[in-house]
Amino acid sequence: MCRSSTLILIGLGFTALTAPTLAPATDVENSQHHRFEIERLGQGFSHPWGLAFLPDGDLLVTERPGRLQRVDAGTGERRRIEGTPDVAATGQGGMLDIALHPDFDTNRYVYLTYSAYGRGGMTTHLGRGVLDGDTLRDFELLYAATPYSGGGRHFGSRIVFDDDGYLFMTMGDRGRRERAQQLDNHHGKLLRLHDDGGIPADNPFVDDEGAEPAIYSYGHRNAQGMTLHPETRVLWLHEHGPRGGDEINLPRPGLNFGWPEATFGTEYHGPEIAPDPPVAGMEPPIHHWTPSIAPSGMAFYYADAFPEWQGDLFVGALAHRHLERLRLDGTDVVEQERLLQGLGWRIRDVRVGPKGHLYVLPDRSSTPLLRLRPAD
């Protein structure tokens, strides 16, 4: 691995425009199928969590302490977006995921998930605002998962729009695992909403007395990766296990994915939690990691910059500190590779950019945004 002597020095600059000095630093890494550069865009991001690409080429990056940054993809310059909600940046909570409305070009809606305080503790919230320059105007709360509870664990949270305009939002079990099997709460669930936070009339539990009508699927532990397959348009989701048993699942309406009644994971202090999948009445994962890699972020690669990665799935790893590449035959994993291990950084999110480059967010207190592009 070689490193150029150039560095980009970006200060914290939470409110002011930051100016780059020199060209971004790059490393070069060899993988099984491609040789690629690791380019650093800016420095000083504080625990970045999610990113979205604007039509003009800029990026929006959330930071867990409660900031939203607009980043110039060419220079690494960033500007703080004003008008974001107050967050409860406690434990694993704070400013979380981000997505643009499918009709962003006309309505300019930016969606955020974030943990915030309320009566009885904290929970994951969904809200949206109108992006106007460097301001998020008219921000409004659309949905709050219930119940509010104490503790700083397992907020989820990813958001994805499907081709019909429905919004999917993951919610962790908040450390109360038994609630993942109960339909009277949102903990350990995948939620399906209209773009304004309303409940679709055909959600699977709308007519079930005592069930929360936003629930789409349940029995999840803490899903921090979700994406649509670019060809099949099927929703894919991955979730944290405890000590082992991280899972990739294909959520379907009304299905139970087992946690904590079926899991490949064990208690952190050793004992078994439940039988290994499959268990009758519960959906087994299509893939699991045991021991756990603590997956976060998820993106299929269907672009031209890296032709040998066509169709591969990329997943960030927090515990094992790498970017995982999975080659698939349908839903079967037939090849696995670990990238970026030499950096030793926890990977929070991965997305494919407009030019087919991979964008990677390390989860650190002061970190660059990484861009992977062909070295040749």
Side-chain angles (χ1 to χ4, degrees):
M1 180 178 295
C2 63
R3 175 171 295 178
S4 72
S5 59
T6 57
L7 294 173
I8 185 166
L9 302 177
I10 301 292
L12 290 179
F14 293 139
T15 56
L17 174 67
T18 58
T21 53
L22 302 175
T26 60
D27 295 337
V28 175
E29 184 168 312
N30 292 311
S31 71
Q32 293 180 24
H33 302 288
H34 282 289
R35 186 168 178 262
F36 60 90
E37 294 180 348
I38 308 166
E39 181 184 12
R40 290 165 171 79
L41 287 175
Q43 293 284 349
F45 291 98
S46 181
H47 294 285
W49 217 95
L51 64 91
F53 300 95
L54 293 171
D56 65 3
D58 285 354
L59 299 88
L60 296 177
V61 177
T62 61
E63 295 177 296
R64 190 154 45 87
R67 292 177 292 274
L68 176 61
Q69 305 280 4
R70 183 171 187 150
V71 184
D72 186 302
T75 66
E77 293 175 345
R78 71 179 188 271
R79 303 186 300 273
R80 182 171 177 174
I81 301 296
E82 302 296 334
T84 55
D86 293 332
V87 308
T90 301
Q92 298 171 4
M95 187 80 76
L96 302 173
D97 206 15
I98 183 170
L100 305 185
H101 190 279
D103 296 324
F104 176 81
D105 285 343
T106 56
N107 61 32
R108 307 293 292 178
Y109 278 138
V110 173
Y111 288 74
L112 298 172
T113 53
Y114 54 98
S115 63
Y117 292 106
R119 188 173 181 179
M122 297 178 290
T123 194
T124 303
H125 293 64
L126 170 74
R128 73 180 180 188
V130 176
L131 186 64
D132 182 5
D134 293 334
T135 301
L136 206 55
R137 290 192 296 102
D138 304 324
F139 191 86
E140 58 180 332
L141 172 65
L142 300 179
Y143 204 83
T146 57
Y148 286 74
S149 60
R153 290 189 292 165
H154 300 183
F155 294 95
S157 163
R158 294 292 173 188
I159 42 178
V160 168
F161 282 95
D162 72 3
D163 293 336
D164 296 318
Y166 293 109
L167 184 150
F168 291 84
M169 168 183 168
T170 68
M171 179 64 196
D173 69 3
R174 297 290 283 115
R176 297 288 300 273
R177 61 178 64 170
E178 72 281 358
R179 290 180 175 171
Q181 288 294 316
Q182 300 164 358
L183 296 178
D184 63 352
N185 67 85
H186 295 123
H187 294 177
K189 311 301 193 301
L190 174 62
L191 311 183
R192 179 178 180 248
L193 303 166
H194 288 302
D195 63 352
D196 62 357
I199 307 297
D202 59 348
N203 271 7
F205 301 108
V206 163
D207 298 323
D208 289 15
E209 184 176 356
E212 286 290 340
I215 296 173
Y216 186 76
S217 61
Y218 65 108
H220 302 288
R221 185 170 182 265
N222 192 29
Q224 293 188 347
M226 185 166 56
T227 189
L228 283 178
H229 192 288
E231 290 187 338
T232 66
R233 312 311 292 169
V234 169
L235 194 67
W236 288 51
L237 171 154
H238 69 55
E239 57 192 276
H240 288 250
R243 193 174 174 215
D246 301 335
E247 298 181 354
I248 297 179
N249 289 305
L250 305 183
R252 297 290 188 276
L255 294 187
N256 179 359
F257 287 86
W259 174 254
E261 302 299 322
T263 177
F264 289 101
T266 61
E267 300 284 8
Y268 289 105
H269 59 285
E272 182 182 79
I273 296 172
D276 291 349
V279 170
M282 300 179 183
E283 295 298 307
I286 64 168
H287 180 74
H288 71 93
W289 290 273
T290 302
S292 172
I293 66 167
S296 186
M298 188 180 199
F300 281 100
Y301 191 85
Y302 274 86
D304 297 328
F306 295 104
E308 297 303 317
W309 286 347
Q310 283 280 331
D312 291 353
L313 181 64
F314 287 83
V315 174
L318 296 165
H320 283 198
R321 300 172 183 258
H322 67 275
L323 179 65
E324 180 119 339
R325 182 185 63 82
L326 305 174
R327 178 143 296 174
L328 301 163
D329 181 3
T331 59
D332 295 328
V333 176
V334 297
E335 179 180 298
Q336 294 177 249
E337 182 180 16
R338 294 185 172 185
L339 310 175
L340 308 183
Q341 289 190 95
L343 296 177
W345 292 348
R346 289 160 49 88
I347 303 301
R348 175 62 68 184
D349 199 11
V350 55
R351 308 283 175 106
V352 181
K355 296 182 180 180
H357 301 154
L358 281 173
Y359 288 75
V360 177
L361 291 179
D363 186 353
R364 300 171 63 204
S365 60
S366 181
T367 183
L369 166 66
L370 304 180
R371 178 165 57 198
L372 277 54
R373 60 185 188 183
D376 299 326

